[in-house]
Amino acid sequence: DTAVSQTPKYLVTQMGNDKSIKCEQNLGHDTMYWYKQDSKKFLKIMFSYNNKELIINETVPNRFSPKSPDKAHLNLHINSLELGDSAVYFCASSQDLGNQPQHFGDGTRLSIL
Amino acid sequence: QQQVKQSPQSLIVQKGGIPIINCAYENTAFDYFPWYQQFPGKGPALLIAIRPDVSEKKEGRFTISFNKSAKQFSLHIMDSQPGDSATYFCAARGNTGKLIFGQGTTLQVKP
């Protein structure tokens, strides 16, 4: 029933590790996004994919690599985790690039020890 | 030019009050202005949105006022309830479909 689902909900790991966050949407949308929300709740887009094609790639370190195996999935892989990567990561989707609204998942809280 | 400035950072009102949250932008190419509501532990959810050719939009207790010449827009919540306590984000859409969010306003409605 969940429209945009992310796993895991919580991720606690050591600095230097590599981790992945998975996202799936069952809305039939063409466009998916990754956002980062910092400790001050500021929400900033990282990537967007439209029909599995990368559209937006903000100035995100190349340790972050999104992968879209199909339109319904957009995963985020992070290499060599750093303390500053601690945040809540949200996946979202919209019908297409020009069409809003964006539907958000409930987030993955990433904590780096 | 890509910023959206939101104020206040936090707001406390009594039940029944009318909290007002303000946003300002610089980029005249922005073409869509949504407000999102976020509860703790949840993702943001669209509340109401407006396009720049309209000066006001109302949905239930929520109203957006839009001033194109001043490049400002605001959210008014009529007859606010404790269940409205949440963080509110304004946003603006740029030419690649990218949403640029304001800094957020934490609203507390006291019973």
Side-chain angles (χ1 to χ4, degrees):
Chain A
D1 209 19
T2 307
V4 181
S5 58
Q6 297 178 228
T7 53
K9 191 168 175 65
Y10 300 97
L11 191 49
V12 181
T13 190
Q14 303 273 2
M15 216 164 48
N17 283 351
D18 303 337
K19 289 292 177 187
S20 292
I21 306 172
K22 294 186 175 182
C23 178
E24 176 181 4
Q25 53 95 3
N26 63 4
L27 296 166
H29 288 170
D30 286 346
T31 308
M32 296 184 73
Y33 311 82
W34 277 110
Y35 286 86
K36 180 180 180 180
Q37 187 170 48
D38 63 22
S39 57
K40 295 183 179 176
K41 295 190 181 176
F42 185 60
L43 201 56
K44 190 173 191 302
I45 191 165
M46 301 172 69
F47 302 102
S48 78
Y49 269 73
N50 189 57
N51 278 320
K52 303 195 298 173
E53 182 185 343
L54 180 66
I55 302 297
I56 295 171
N57 182 349
E58 289 294 289
T59 49
V60 177
N62 58 15
R63 298 182 294 104
F64 290 79
S65 51
K67 290 222 171 22
S68 181
D70 56 58
K71 282 196 325 183
H73 295 85
L74 181 62
N75 304 322
L76 183 65
H77 188 75
I78 316 170
N79 288 329
S80 304
L81 281 157
E82 300 177 357
L83 288 174
D85 298 333
S86 294
V88 182
Y89 292 85
F90 286 100
C91 178
S93 72
S94 64
Q95 188 162 346
D96 52 51
L97 267 181
N99 232 326
Q100 306 288 334
Q102 294 183 18
H103 297 258
F104 284 76
D106 284 340
T108 295
R109 182 174 292 276
L110 174 63
S111 301
I112 310 300
L113 303 177
Chain B
Q1 273 239 327
Q2 290 294 310
Q3 280 189 323
V4 176
K5 293 183 181 177
Q6 183 172 345
S7 63
Q9 189 174 354
S10 63
L11 193 50
I12 301 174
V13 300
Q14 291 294 133
K15 178 183 170 182
I18 306 175
I20 300 172
I21 305 170
N22 300 298
C23 285
Y25 63 97
E26 289 294 323
N27 190 342
T28 55
F30 289 152
D31 64 355
Y32 171 82
F33 301 87
W35 285 89
Y36 280 78
Q37 179 189 54
Q38 184 180 25
F39 293 105
K42 296 291 185 184
L46 180 70
L47 196 59
I48 186 172
I50 199 167
R51 296 191 187 272
D53 53 348
V54 175
S55 60
E56 185 174 280
K57 184 172 181 181
K58 187 173 180 178
E59 284 183 6
R61 296 184 293 107
F62 300 92
T63 300
I64 300 179
S65 297
F66 190 87
N67 186 330
K68 189 174 179 178
S69 60
K71 292 184 280 188
Q72 294 174 349
F73 58 111
S74 58
L75 176 71
H76 301 232
I77 306 176
M78 310 302 286
D79 186 27
S80 59
Q81 301 296 313
D84 296 329
S85 298
T87 301
Y88 292 82
F89 293 93
C90 63
R93 184 179 68 182
N95 55 5
T96 55
K98 180 170 80 171
L99 278 185
I100 296 160
F101 284 85
Q103 295 88 338
T105 297
T106 301
L107 171 66
Q108 184 185 356
V109 181
K110 291 191 168 180

